[in-house]
Every structure is written in structure tokens, then in C-alpha cells.
């Protein structure tokens, strides 16, 4: 089966600034594919080109067999977009919003009414459908925002950081709904800077940084690519010098690398448990007090750190 | 087409969810139409008020009062002596003319008739009233002189004499009446005024206000289309809309169509107010009216569309549209007659669509012209619309 989306060397420049530097990847039918990267990495620019909003400087993408450059209207029929920010008319009710957006997707008559009812059911807002969106909580607005993207049953759904700035409960509900949509057969391209979301949702992950796709594969493939390492994070007091400690730790056997972020020293090692005792000894010798220790098994954060030398949140 | 109507309904719903919108849509336009219609331009009677106390109550005194009512400079008001004196003492009136009981034809013939004219000192209106009274008296006394001369002439004819004093009086009365009739029909003076405009129609503040406020209150929200585009951009709904299978043309078409239709409804409401409440003749030519309303709305909407591609935020757009709308309305002659402006300014403001809109509207409501009289204005407005739309559509893009 051909991929539902195939990105071919996509480039977007703004003057001298290269927002996206020739990325290529594909998404298979029925997949959840995450673009993981920090803020400003180029995720939204990429999704904007794929949703035909921006014209690529060069390169192309084929979605549902149609080029985003040459056949944007055909691509729009196939995709649904859930933007990062709420894109709703808050003076209208949820039903009025869904009715309007449904018509913009070309639905009408009974088909439109039926789909609006189904989507209201799907997002759990049947009881509040006749209230203006501005009276809703942030989580409810997010649900309407997602519902709009589902009205025309798109084959491929773009979700651009849909959980930014919302409470944990609403976030959980959104992640569950993404999994449910995927279970029903919808292909999803999900962008996020939350490593946990990418880990939980994705079949495959593309890690993007400074407009470049620096890693691509399943979670297992990515963690394997950086070596099956643990991450040991030492939190030290603000008055201590983390660089001195990191320099000494780098000399300890079994340390792949040690990086400093604020008042933390992050150590990549094949076995965190074995390394813990010598690291604590070393810090005692230096007179540096360790406030707490985190041990994490291989994850996407470690992959990002390994590839860029920075944490995802930086 | 279905999408265009969907955008139209959405915009209308969003716009009128705030009750405040009705204030700007109909209440304030009507309020200002009435206020400016009543408060600008000349009032019905600008003549100097002249109190007349007729103690004589003779045909001659009535004739004098009647002649005063025809004066262009004084507005005579017949009033009781005590009231007139009281108001004069309180300086509420500048001049009082008292016609004494002795003011009769007999005394006039015998040069014994007198009038009393009381004037406030150093008062220009009193001076105007004095001159007006003198002018009327001169006419009245001229008629008396003519009648006297007629009687004398008749008596000088050899072999002729009046059979009695009554017959003489009848002859005198006939001569006086004829003289007065002829003098009333004769022009007092010939005045030739060469105006710098060929417009023969008088300024009517109500017509000017009705047309001017209609343009002002419709142009401002239509120029405010720029704020709608900025609103959609800021809210992220424009971004989402352009990811749906909806073309740029449909989006622009729907938004502009909605605003133009709403503006036409607003204009029609104001026109109906003008017809039924202000008794103006808007309905002289429906074709001309339709041409002017549609072309004006399109020109303003196109200007708003073009501005929408230059401004970044809704706040900027709102400020700009209100400022631009007000200035264009004022300079276009919507608030004051354009004839009050210097000739150079009148030429310069031809660059504004409001001046053409105002010209066309006044052609209809004031000059009663039909389609043949407003085609040029309508065509110019459509030209404005074309230019603004083309610039707006070329510049309209999401990125």
C-alpha cells in the first residue's frame, strides 16, 4: 500500500532564514506519526506546508496521491487540520461552529446535520451544543477545535500541538481521543514538543530540530540508534558549580557523556544503577551536594539529548 | 454559492451577537440624521422679528401689516400693546411698531397720520426693521399719493365735479386700490446674483443630513471590513478556513457579499426613514437609487478589503476605518455642504468616493434626478470599487 503522505525534500525559507531545510519522510495508512521537536524547530511550518497554507520554497509532498503544490484543493479534501491555537467563533454555539465549518468542508443538508450530531457525540458536548463557545472551559473549547477537523471524515488528520496550555485532565482526554480515532482507522500526523505524548501515541517518530529531520523511526529503533543507554540526572544546589562535577564524572568508567543544563548534570550510561555509587563518591570528594537523582531508561528525550546535546524543553 | 451564504450568515450572526451593534447599525445613524437635519443650514424663517401693535384696526393699518408680511427682511408679529412693551423692555425683541388709532386714510390724506417705531439702541436688527418699515411705508404712502393725485387730476378736469363727498371718497378708494395692486405686482428691484455654481437647487439641511449620514454610517462599517479580515487572522479562523476546500475567492466573496448586503439593508432603512419621517423624495427614481446604493456600498467594501491587506491587527483596522471613514465623510460633504469648502478643496475631494456618493445621493433626493443624472457618479464609484478590489485581491494572502 502506498504511503498516505510522502514528503520530498521540503524546504521553506523566509529571506535568509531557513525554517525548514529539506526534510523527507512518509506516513503509512493507519499510522500515528509524531513530529517531535522543541519550540521553533519547524514543526508548525512543516504542517502549514502540508496543509497547503504555505507554499514550499522547494520540494513537494504528496498526500492521498495529490501534490500539495500542484493540487492543493484535492489535498484539502483529504486532510483535516486541528491547529495549535483555538480557531473557533466564540460568539457562536458549538453546533453553529460545527455547522459552519462543515459547510466549508463541502457538507450540506442531512449529511451535515448527521455529521454534526455524530461529532458532538464524539467530543462529548451534546448537552452543551447550544451554548456559546465563549462560555466553555479551555478543555471543552479544545474538544470543539478537534471536532471541527473531524467533520468531513478526513483520511489524514494533522494535529498541531493540540495539548499546549491545557489542564492534565483535558490533555488525557485528547490523547485518548487521538488513539480512538486511530483505532477507527484514521491516520494522524501529530506534532508535539512533549516527549511523553510522542512516546505514548506514535507508531513512528520524526525528531525535528532547527528545521532538519535529525532522526526517524519507531521508538525502539531510535533508542537503539543512540545505544541502549540509561539517563542519570543529578540535581545539585544552585550555589554549586555543575561544570566541575560534570568534568569529573566524564572521567568515570561507563559514562558515555555528561551534559550540564541549569543546575542539573545529565549522564548517558549503559547502566545507571552501576554508575550511581561512583558518581555520588565523586561528588562527595568535590564537596558538591546532590539534592536528588533521577534514573530513566532509554527514551526519546535521551535520543534528542544524544543527537543535539540539549534537552527538548530548552 | 452555498459556502458564500454560509460565510454571510456566520458574519451576520457574529456581528449582531452584540446588542451594541444595533446602536451603530440604525439608532445612531437616525439620531444624527435628525439632529444634523434640524440643526444645520438656515432655519425656516431668518427674518428679523418685528412686533406690530395695531391700535387703529383700519383697512389702511391692515394693508400696512399685510405689506410687512411680504417683506424679505422682517417677520411681523401682530401683538397686544402691553405684551409688546413688556418684551421690548426686557430686550426680547429689537423693534416694535405701534400703529396708533389716528392712522386712517383721512389723516393720511391730510398728512396727519403718524406711526411709532420703538427700537433697541445700537441694534443691527432694529436698523434692519426700521429700513423694512420705511420701505413698506414708502410703498403705502406712494399709493396714497397716487390716489390723492388721481382725485386732484379728476377735479381739475373742466366741467367735472364730484356729486358728493361720498362719491369723491369712492373715487379715492378705487384709485388707492388700483395703485396698491399695480405696486404690488411691480418688482421692487431687480437683483442679479452670479453664483460660482450652476446648481439652481436650494440647500436643504434635511436632504443633506439624510444623504450624508447614510454615507457616513455605511462607509465606516464597510471600511471596517479590514477589521474583519484582521479578526479572522488573529483568531486563527482564517488559517483554518484556508486549509478547508474553500478558495480564497469564495472566502473574500462571502465576506464582502455579506457586508454589502447588510449595508444595503442599513441604507434602505435610512432611506425609508428619510421618506416616511423626514418627508424627503428618495423614491423619485428607484433605478437611480439602486445604482447609487449598490455602487457606494461596493466602493466602500472594496476600500475595506484593500485596507485589510495592509493592517496587521483588529485594533489597527478599527482605528483606521473609523478615522478614515470620518475624514472621508467630512471631506466628501456628508456633514457640511461641499459648497462651503474653497474651490481648490472641492477639486481635491473628487479623489474620495464619499464626495461622488454624496453628489449622486443629492442628485436623487434634492434635485430629483433619475438614472441619467447619476450614471456618472455610479460609474466613478464602480471604478473605485474595481481598483480597490484588484489591489486587495492581489495582496490578500495568508503568509
Amino acid at each position: 500500500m502506498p504511503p498516505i503522505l510522502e514528503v520530498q525534500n521540503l524546504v521553506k525559507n523566509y529571506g535568509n532564514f531557513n525554517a525548514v531545510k529539506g526534510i523527507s519522510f512518509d506516513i503509512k495508512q493507519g499510522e500515528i506519526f509524531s513530529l517531535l521537536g522543541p519550540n521553533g524547530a519547524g514543526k508548525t511550518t512543516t504542517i502549514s506546508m502540508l496543509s497547503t497554507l504555505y507554499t514550499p520554497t522547494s520540494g513537494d509532498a504528496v498526500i492521498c496521491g495529490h501534490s500539495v503544490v500542484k493540487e492543493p484543493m484535492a489535498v484539502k479534501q483529504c486532510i483535516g487540520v486541528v491547529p495549535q491555537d483555538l480557531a473557533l467563533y466564540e460568539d457562536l454555539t458549538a453546533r453553529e461552529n460545527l455547522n459552519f465549518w462543515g459547510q466549508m468542508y463541502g457538507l450540506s443538508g442531512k449529511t451535515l446535520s448527521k455529521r454534526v450530531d455524530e461529532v458532538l457525540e464524539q467530543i462529548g458536548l451534546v448537552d452543551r451544543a447550544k451554548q456559546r463557545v465563549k462560555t466553555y472551559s479551555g478543555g471543552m473549547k479544545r474538544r470543539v477545535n478537534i471536532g471541527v477537523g473531524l467533520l468531513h471524515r478526513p483520511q489524514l488528520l494533522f494535529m498541531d500541538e493540540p495539548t499546549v496550555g491545557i489542564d492534565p485532565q483535558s490533555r488525557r482526554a485528547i490523547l485518548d481521543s487521538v488513539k480512538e480515532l486511530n483505532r477507527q482507522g484514521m491516520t494522524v500526523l501529530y506534532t508535539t514538543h512533549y516527549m511523553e505524548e510522542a512516546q505514548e501515541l506514535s507508531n513512528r517518530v520524526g525528531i525535528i530540530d532547527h528545521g532538519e529531520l535529525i532522526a526517524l523511526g519507531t521508538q525502539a529503533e531510535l533508542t537503539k540508534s543512540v545505544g541502549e543507554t540509561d539517563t542519570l540526572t543529578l540535581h545539585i544546589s544552585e550555589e554549586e558549580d555543575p561544570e566541575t562535577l560534570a568534568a569529573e564524572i566524564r572521567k568515570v568508567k561507563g559514562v558515555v557523556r555528561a551534559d550540564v543544563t541549569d543546575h542539573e548534570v545529565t549522564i548517558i550510561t549503559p547502566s545507571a544503577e552501576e554508575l550511581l555509587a561512583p558518581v555520588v563518591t565523586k561528588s562527595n570528594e568535590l564537596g558538591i551536594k546532590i539534592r536528588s537523582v533521577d534514573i530513566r531508561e532509554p527514551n526519546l528525550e535521551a535520543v534528542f539529548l544524544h543527537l543535539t546535546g540539549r534537552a527538548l524543553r530548552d | 454559492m452555498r459556502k458564500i451564504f454560509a460565510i454571510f450568515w456566520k458574519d451576520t450572526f457574529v456581528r449582531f451577537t452584540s446588542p451594541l451593534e444595533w446602536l451603530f447599525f440604525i439608532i445612531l445613524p437616525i439620531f444624527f440624521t435628525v439632529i444634523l437635519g434640524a440643526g444645520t443650514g438656515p432655519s425656516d424663517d431668518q427674518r428679523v422679528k418685528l412686533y406690530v401693535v395695531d391700535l387703529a384696526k383700519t383697512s389702511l393699518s391692515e394693508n400696512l401689516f399685510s405689506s410687512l408680511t411680504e417683506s424679505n427682511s422682517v417677520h411681523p408679529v401682530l401683538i397686544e400693546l402691553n405684551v409688546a412693551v413688556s418684551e421690548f423692555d426686557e430686550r426680547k425683541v429689537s423693534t416694535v411698531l405701534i400703529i396708533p388709532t389716528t392712522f386712517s386714510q383721512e389723516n393720511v390724506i391730510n398728512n396727519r397720520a403718524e406711526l411709532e417705531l420703538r427700537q433697541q439702541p445700537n441694534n443691527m436688527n432694529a436698523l434692519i426693521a426700521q429700513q423694512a418699515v420705511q420701505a413698506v411705508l414708502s410703498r403705502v404712502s406712494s399709493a396714497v399719493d397716487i390716489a390723492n393725485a388721481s382725485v386732484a387730476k379728476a377735479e381739475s378736469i373742466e366741467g367735472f365735479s364730484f356729486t358728493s363727498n361720498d362719491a369723491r371718497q369712492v373715487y379715492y378708494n378705487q384709485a388707492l386700490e388700483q395703485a396698491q395692486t399695480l405696486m404690488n405686482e411691480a418688482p421692487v428691484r431687480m437683483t442679479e446674483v452670479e453664483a460660482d455654481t450652476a446648481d439652481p437647487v436650494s440647500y436643504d439641511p434635511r436632504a443633506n443630513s439624510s444623504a450624508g449620514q447614510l454615507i457616513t454610517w455605511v462607509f465606516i462599517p464597510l471600511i471596517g471590513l479590514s477589521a474583519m479580515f484582521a479578526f479572522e487572522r488573529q483568531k486563527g479562523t482564517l488559517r483554518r478556513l484556508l486549509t478547508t476546500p474553500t478558495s480564497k475567492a469564495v472566502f473574500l466573496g462571502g465576506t464582502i457579499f455579506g457586508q454589502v448586503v447588510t449595508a444595503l439593508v442599513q441604507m434602505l432603512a435610512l432611506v425609508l426613514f428619510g421618506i416616511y419621517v423626514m418627508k424627503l423624495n428618495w423614491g423619485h427614481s428607484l433605478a437611480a437609487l439602486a445604482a447609487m446604493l449598490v455602487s457606494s456600498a461596493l466602493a466602500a467594501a472594496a476600500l475595506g478589503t484593500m485596507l485589510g491587506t495592509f493592517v496587521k491587527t483588529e485594533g489597527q483596522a478599527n482605528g483606521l476605518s473609523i478615522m478614515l471613514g470620518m475624514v472621508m465623510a467630512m471631506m466628501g460633504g456628508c456633514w457640511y455642504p461641499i459648497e462651503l469648502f474653497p474651490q481648490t478643496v472641492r477639486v481635491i475631494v473628487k479623489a474620495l468616493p464619499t464626495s461622488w456618493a454624496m453628489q449622486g445621493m443629492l442628485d436623487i433626493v434634492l434635485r430629483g434626478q433619475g438614472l441619467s443624472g447619476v450614471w456618472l457618479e455610479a460609474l466613478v464609484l464602480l471604478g473605485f470599487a474595481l481598483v480597490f478590489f484588484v489591489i486587495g485581491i492581489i495582496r490578500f494572502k495568508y503568509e
Side-chain angles (χ1 to χ4, degrees):
Chain A
M1 187 184 287
I4 193 166
L5 180 151
E6 198 173 353
V7 179
Q8 301 151 353
N9 205 23
L10 211 54
V11 173
K12 184 66 185 177
N13 297 334
Y14 295 103
N16 293 326
F17 175 68
N18 310 120
V20 176
K21 302 170 184 171
I23 64 173
S24 299
F25 62 93
D26 58 40
I27 299 178
K28 297 179 184 66
Q29 195 104 39
E31 243 188 340
I32 298 180
F33 181 95
S34 288
L35 265 183
L36 175 68
N39 292 329
K43 302 186 296 292
T44 299
T45 307
T46 302
I47 225 168
S48 297
M49 286 190 282
L50 297 179
S51 55
T52 75
L53 205 55
Y54 295 171
T55 308
T57 305
S58 65
D60 200 354
V62 177
I63 298 174
C64 304
H66 304 285
S67 157
V68 294
V69 178
K70 294 173 189 158
E71 305 159 277
M73 286 308 256
V75 168
K76 287 174 180 183
Q77 297 280 3
C78 169
I79 61 169
V81 179
V82 178
Q84 184 173 342
D85 298 315
L86 294 171
L88 301 167
Y89 298 100
E90 299 211 352
D91 284 320
L92 302 185
T93 65
R95 181 176 289 280
E96 286 165 350
N97 262 287
L98 292 171
N99 257 316
F100 171 72
W101 289 108
Q103 289 179 84
M104 292 302 102
Y105 279 113
L107 304 177
S108 61
K110 287 181 182 172
T111 315
L112 175 64
S113 312
K114 187 165 172 262
R115 276 306 290 156
V116 168
D117 289 339
E118 286 171 356
V119 169
L120 282 170
E121 186 76 41
Q122 206 169 353
I123 60 177
L125 286 173
V126 175
D127 296 342
R128 305 282 301 269
K130 289 183 179 173
Q131 291 176 8
R132 289 188 189 178
V133 169
K134 67 180 174 190
T135 65
Y136 289 4
S137 68
M140 289 163 74
K141 288 177 185 173
R142 287 275 171 189
R143 277 143 65 189
V144 181
N145 203 37
I146 292 174
V148 169
L150 306 175
L151 278 163
H152 62 304
R153 297 183 195 277
Q155 293 181 54
L156 174 60
L157 182 66
F158 294 150
M159 301 186 85
D160 189 12
E161 307 207 48
T163 59
V164 168
I166 60 169
D167 60 279
Q169 196 183 350
S170 300
R171 184 182 182 190
R172 181 73 263 153
I174 288 173
L175 295 180
D176 288 344
S177 70
V178 174
K179 284 194 271 191
E180 176 58 24
L181 288 168
N182 181 246
R183 197 186 59 73
Q184 291 169 8
M186 192 173 286
T187 309
V188 180
L189 169 57
Y190 190 97
T191 74
T192 182
H193 63 271
Y194 296 123
M195 178 269 300
E196 305 84 6
E197 290 184 0
Q199 279 189 172
E200 180 179 341
L201 294 174
S202 320
N203 302 106
R204 286 191 307 141
V205 178
I207 298 179
I208 188 168
D209 189 40
H210 294 307
E212 288 179 287
L213 200 62
I214 57 176
L216 179 65
T218 62
Q219 216 179 123
E221 286 168 348
L222 291 173
T223 51
K224 195 175 176 182
S225 70
V226 298
E228 291 185 9
T229 54
D230 291 345
T231 304
L232 178 65
T233 306
L234 310 175
H235 302 273
I236 62 171
S237 303
E238 287 184 11
E239 57 271 17
E240 309 284 8
D241 178 16
E243 289 292 351
T244 310
L245 179 60
E248 285 303 310
I249 287 172
R250 286 185 194 113
K251 296 172 188 170
V252 177
K253 190 182 173 188
V255 173
V256 175
R257 60 189 288 177
D259 297 300
V260 173
T261 317
D262 295 333
H263 299 285
E264 293 174 2
V265 178
T266 306
I267 306 158
I268 307 292
T269 173
S271 173
E273 278 184 33
E274 288 177 19
L275 193 66
L276 189 56
V279 163
V280 171
T281 306
K282 192 64 83 180
S283 67
N284 285 340
E285 286 171 8
L286 292 169
I288 294 174
K289 192 176 177 183
I290 297 172
R291 290 168 58 209
S292 63
V293 176
D294 285 339
I295 296 175
R296 275 176 290 163
E297 293 184 339
N299 59 20
L300 295 173
E301 177 78 46
V303 174
F304 189 83
L305 189 68
H306 179 86
L307 293 170
T308 66
R310 291 179 289 115
L312 257 172
R313 62 181 175 275
D314 290 347
Chain B
M1 204 60 194
R2 194 177 287 133
K3 287 183 181 179
I4 287 180
F5 277 109
I7 293 169
F8 166 45
W9 281 119
K10 179 263 296 176
D11 286 342
T12 308
F13 264 67
V14 170
R15 180 173 172 183
F16 288 98
T17 47
S18 164
L20 201 65
E21 187 58 36
W22 290 102
L23 185 70
F24 294 100
F25 185 75
I26 198 76
I27 298 169
L28 284 180
I30 285 179
F31 175 75
F32 279 102
T33 302
V34 172
I35 291 293
L36 293 177
T40 62
S43 62
D44 289 342
D45 194 345
Q46 281 202 321
R47 294 178 298 171
V48 173
K49 192 193 278 185
L50 168 69
Y51 277 180
V52 178
V53 179
D54 185 4
L55 299 174
K57 297 196 189 311
T58 59
S59 60
L60 190 65
S61 67
E62 284 169 8
N63 184 257
L64 175 65
F65 182 81
S66 171
S67 297
L68 283 168
T69 58
E70 289 164 15
S71 166
N72 289 325
S73 46
V74 290
H75 167 57
V77 178
L78 207 55
I79 199 162
E80 292 299 318
L81 179 63
N82 56 342
V83 179
V85 170
S86 165
E87 295 206 7
F88 181 79
D89 290 344
E90 292 170 17
R91 303 179 73 86
K92 287 181 181 172
V93 64
S94 64
T95 319
V96 175
L97 173 66
I98 299 171
I99 307 173
T101 48
T102 54
F103 191 72
S104 62
Q105 283 180 0
E106 189 182 347
N107 285 335
V108 168
I109 295 167
N110 298 321
N111 287 324
R112 291 202 304 268
E114 283 183 353
L115 289 173
E116 184 181 347
L117 188 70
R118 296 187 187 178
Q119 295 170 274
Q120 299 288 357
N122 301 322
N123 188 302
M124 183 61 77
N125 283 350
L127 208 60
I128 292 169
Q130 181 191 338
Q131 287 174 350
V133 171
Q134 280 175 344
V136 169
L137 272 178
S138 147
R139 289 174 68 189
V140 171
S141 61
S142 294
V144 171
D145 287 347
I146 291 166
N148 280 333
S150 298
V151 172
K153 186 72 180 171
E155 286 175 333
S156 69
I157 298 170
E158 270 189 32
F160 176 81
S161 65
F162 290 107
T163 53
S164 64
N165 273 342
D166 288 345
R168 187 172 182 270
Q169 186 65 42
V170 168
Y171 185 86
Y172 172 85
N173 288 346
Q174 285 173 344
L176 181 65
E177 190 180 343
Q178 196 171 359
Q180 283 171 338
T181 305
L182 288 170
M183 287 185 75
N184 284 339
E185 286 173 358
V188 176
R189 60 184 172 185
M190 181 73 78
T191 306
E192 187 175 331
V193 179
E194 191 176 337
D196 54 1
T197 168
D199 197 343
V201 180
S202 303
Y203 169 72
D204 178 353
R206 294 170 311 118
N208 215 76
S209 174
S210 180
Q213 292 306 300
L214 183 149
I215 294 167
T216 304
W217 290 94
V218 172
F219 262 63
I220 290 174
L222 281 175
I223 297 170
L225 249 175
S226 55
M228 287 190 70
F229 291 129
F231 166 83
E232 298 268 9
R233 198 180 290 124
Q234 270 184 296
K235 279 278 171 190
T237 44
L238 177 60
R239 181 189 173 91
R240 168 166 253 166
L241 215 137
L242 295 178
T243 65
T244 68
T246 303
S247 67
K248 191 169 83 172
V250 168
F251 168 67
L252 285 174
T255 307
I256 293 164
F257 170 73
Q259 293 309 303
V260 168
V261 168
T262 310
L264 287 174
V265 170
Q266 186 183 11
M267 288 197 279
L268 273 178
L270 293 174
V271 163
L272 289 174
F273 181 81
I275 293 172
Y276 290 108
V277 180
M278 302 183 80
K279 308 294 179 199
L280 295 169
N281 188 16
W282 274 110
H284 178 76
S285 164
L286 291 181
L289 185 62
M292 281 312 301
L293 296 186
V294 171
S295 58
S296 301
L298 285 174
L303 179 59
T305 306
M306 186 186 75
L307 288 176
T309 65
F310 287 96
V311 295
K312 299 289 180 199
T313 66
E314 194 187 354
Q316 274 179 5
N318 276 328
L320 189 67
S321 60
I322 291 171
M323 189 191 74
L324 207 60
M326 292 285 190
V327 171
M328 282 174 52
M330 189 181 73
M331 298 304 291
C334 301
W335 298 357
Y336 311 103
I338 204 160
E339 286 75 16
L340 293 179
F341 298 161
Q343 185 61 32
T344 317
V345 177
R346 275 192 267 169
V347 172
I348 293 169
V349 297
K350 289 287 177 195
L352 301 176
T354 44
S355 72
W356 290 92
M358 190 65 190
Q359 182 70 29
M361 300 288 186
L362 286 180
D363 281 348
I364 295 170
V365 69
L366 196 61
R367 302 180 185 99
Q369 294 193 17
L371 196 54
S372 60
V374 299
W375 69 267
L376 178 63
E377 286 87 349
L379 208 63
V380 171
L381 286 166
L382 289 175
F384 275 118
L386 185 68
V387 171
F388 294 151
F389 271 137
V390 167
I391 296 172
I393 289 166
I394 289 171
R395 283 186 51 85
F396 184 83
K397 54 186 177 183
Y398 180 74
E399 282 185 72

